[in-house]
């Protein structure tokens, strides 16, 4: 966990899960915006930034188990989870495990990712290196302009390919349902998931489901983090909660 703005007196803890190839620092703006009412814990996957020498984990269920092992004992406040793209599925799996262990989340926020039972292997993880680079540039994600540099590509590609493998080979396990509300966020022109597809997340909770659609593509939240953080804050800290 990376805590960029530690807020030990916060009313809520928010576990944030990055996208494929992403790192904990992606959620630095969330952390800055939500402190001190919400203590943001951004998950740093193996194989990137300060964990660059560690082996990547190309399987979501294994990664979920490892997150729960690391995070579960340290949860002290009511908490929620937020995940973008691959991170949404991972956040869902972590939420299920924590709920089964008696630590039910207040809410799950999912962004830019089909519901678990709608996962499809599109073969991205089997593409050639340059084809993966082209896919990343097409999504216009953070730092995507650097992937025209061969040295940069060699540095980041192993983590990206591993995460693509984890996301595309993920196997949904039926019969498990969350009790907490689920809120979905997505970009109107996201090539990874149509807005209507996001409604299937409602099948995975006994609680309420709400979807908000923003302008932009797969990385709509880069420019909209302030607005999305505000929605998270209102959901957790608004009237009737806490």
């Amino acid at each position: 966990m990376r805590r960029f703005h530690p807020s030990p007196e916060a009313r809520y803890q928010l576990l944030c899960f990055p996208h494929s190839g992403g790192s904990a620092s992606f959620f630095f703006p969330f952390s800055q915006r939500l402190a001190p009412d919400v203590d943001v814990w951004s998950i740093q996957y193996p194989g990137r930034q300060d964990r660059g020498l560690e082996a990547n984990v190309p399987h979501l269920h294994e990664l979920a188990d490892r997150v729960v092992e690391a995070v579960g004992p340290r949860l002290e406040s009511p908490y929620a989870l937020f995940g973008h793209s691959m991170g949404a599925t991972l956040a869902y799996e972590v939420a299920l495990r924590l709920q089964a262990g008696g630590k039910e989340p207040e809410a799950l926020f999912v962004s830019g990712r089909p519901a678990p039972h709608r996962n499809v292997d599109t073969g991205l993880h089997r593409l050639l290196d340059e084809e993966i680079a082209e896919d990343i540039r097409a999504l216009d994600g953070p730092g995507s302009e650097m992937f025209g540099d061969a040295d940069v590509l060699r540095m980041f590609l192993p983590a990206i390919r591993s995460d693509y493998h984890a996301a595309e080979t993920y196997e949904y396990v039926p019969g498990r349902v969350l009790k907490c509300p689920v809120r979905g966020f997505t970009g109107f022109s996201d090539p990874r998931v149509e807005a209507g597809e996001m409604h299937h997340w409602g099948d995975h909770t006994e609680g309420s489901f709400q979807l908000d659609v923003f302008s932009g593509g797969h990385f709509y939240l880069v420019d909209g983090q302030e607005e999305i953080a505000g929605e998270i804050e209102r959901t957790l800290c608004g009237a009737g909660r806490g």
Side-chain angles (χ1 to χ4, degrees), residues 121-197:
D121 182 356
T122 58
L124 287 174
H125 67 282
R126 292 186 289 271
L127 294 177
L128 299 175
D129 291 357
E130 181 52 38
E131 291 174 324
I132 290 180
E134 289 176 4
D135 177 71
I136 295 168
R137 289 193 293 267
L139 293 177
D140 197 25
S144 59
E145 69 282 353
M146 298 187 299
F147 283 88
D149 185 305
D151 291 334
V152 171
L153 186 60
R154 281 193 295 270
M155 183 184 303
F156 290 100
L157 191 64
I160 295 170
R161 188 182 292 279
S162 176
D163 288 353
Y164 277 8
H165 180 276
E168 294 189 309
T169 61
Y170 164 76
E171 294 184 359
Y172 166 65
V173 179
R176 306 169 301 160
V177 180
L178 291 169
K179 299 177 182 179
C180 66
V182 174
R183 284 200 66 177
F185 303 115
T186 195
F188 179 77
S189 56
D190 188 344
R192 287 283 197 260
V193 54
E194 294 182 359
E197 182 71 23

Side-chain angles (χ1 to χ4, degrees), residues 17 19 31-32 42 53 57 61 66 69 83 87 93 95 99 110 137 139 148-149 156 161 166 198 205 217 219:
F17 297 79
H19 52 280
S31 177
Q32 187 174 43
S42 190
L53 297 180
V57 180
H61 287 288
R66 291 175 61 169
E69 181 181 358
E93 286 291 339
Q99 176 180 276
V110 293
R137 289 193 293 267
L139 293 177
D149 185 305
F156 290 100
R161 188 182 292 279
M198 291 290 296
T205 180
F219 285 100

Side-chain angles (χ1 to χ4, degrees), residues 2-7 14 16 24-42 225-226 229-230 233:
R2 301 293 177 263
R3 298 170 70 196
F4 301 112
H5 304 88
S7 303
L14 180 67
C16 291
S25 60
F26 182 74
F27 291 106
F28 183 92
F30 263 36
S31 177
Q32 187 174 43
R33 167 65 175 78
L34 291 170
D37 289 333
V38 179
D39 192 7
V40 172
W41 296 14
S42 190
Q225 285 207 26
E226 173 72 22
E233 185 177 46

